[in-house]
Amino acid sequence: MSVPDFPNGFDSWQKTHFEVVEVLCYIRSLEESERPKSFAEMVDQTATEEMYQLALSLTNKYEALSKVKDRARSLFDEIEEFVWSEVKKEKV
């Protein structure tokens, strides 16, 4: 796994990673027909290297994009929207 550079500091990265994992677990718990197709194809109910990499990648991407951005909503709401949009376009 690549080591993140923590553009907003470790505390911010850790909070973001926690919320990203929360959203991914929620998506994984949905009925398969409700999940984005690419996500449904890659996921099972166990932790996999693909899921670890996806969580790391999404965390790093969100942190990089939010480096200079002021938050208008709660961290969870912003990350939930971000993760859903990324997973829908992800070609896993």
Side-chain angles (χ1 to χ4, degrees), residues 27 31-44 87 92:
I27 294 171
E31 293 294 325
E32 191 168 338
S33 62
E34 297 175 14
R35 298 181 204 154
K37 184 171 173 38
S38 61
F39 187 85
E41 291 171 352
M42 72 162 271
V43 71
D44 61 26
V87 166
V92 180

Side-chain angles (χ1 to χ4, degrees), residues 55-68:
L56 179 62
S57 172
L58 292 175
T59 300
N60 291 339
K61 186 172 184 177
Y62 181 86
E63 282 290 291
L65 293 172
S66 67
K67 187 173 183 179
V68 294

Side-chain angles (χ1 to χ4, degrees), residues 17-80:
H17 188 259
F18 178 86
E19 299 299 350
V20 165
V21 170
E22 285 282 306
V23 176
L24 291 174
C25 288
Y26 171 75
I27 294 171
R28 183 172 67 180
S29 73
L30 295 173
E31 293 294 325
E32 191 168 338
S33 62
E34 297 175 14
R35 298 181 204 154
K37 184 171 173 38
S38 61
F39 187 85
E41 291 171 352
M42 72 162 271
V43 71
D44 61 26
Q45 295 297 31
T46 61
T48 63
E49 188 62 29
E50 291 84 9
M51 288 295 286
Y52 295 145
Q53 289 298 326
L54 180 59
L56 179 62
S57 172
L58 292 175
T59 300
N60 291 339
K61 186 172 184 177
Y62 181 86
E63 282 290 291
L65 293 172
S66 67
K67 187 173 183 179
V68 294
K69 180 180 160 191
D70 288 330
R71 195 172 296 131
R73 301 175 297 161
S74 75
L75 178 63
F76 179 80
D77 289 343
E78 288 195 4
I79 290 175
E80 181 179 33

